[in-house]
Amino acid sequence: MMSLPFVLFACAVGAAWMRQRGVSMGFWALGLIAMLVLFRFHVTEVLMIQL
C-alpha cells in the first residue's frame, strides 16, 4: 500500500517521457495526495505494544 505513491510517480515520469504533460501532472498530483493520505493514516495509527 505504501508503494502506491511511488508507482504513481513512476507513471508520471513515464507520461512526461511520452510528452503527455497533462497526464503526467495528473499522476503526480494523485501520487502526492496518496502520499499525504497514507502518511496521515500512519501518523495517527495507535501502536498496541504489550510488554
Side-chain angles (χ1 to χ4, degrees):
M1 190 65 154
M2 293 299 287
S3 64
L4 180 63
F6 300 104
V7 171
L8 291 170
F9 290 141
C11 289
V13 170
W17 194 345
M18 301 290 282
R19 303 195 192 281
Q20 299 292 324
R21 185 175 182 180
V23 175
S24 178
M25 291 300 292
F27 276 127
W28 179 81
L30 285 174
L32 190 64
I33 290 168
M35 185 176 289
L36 291 173
V37 168
L38 290 172
F39 181 74
R40 174 75 174 160
F41 286 147
H42 176 69
V43 168
T44 58
E45 183 180 12
V46 176
L47 295 176
M48 300 299 286
I49 300 175
Q50 298 191 14
L51 300 175

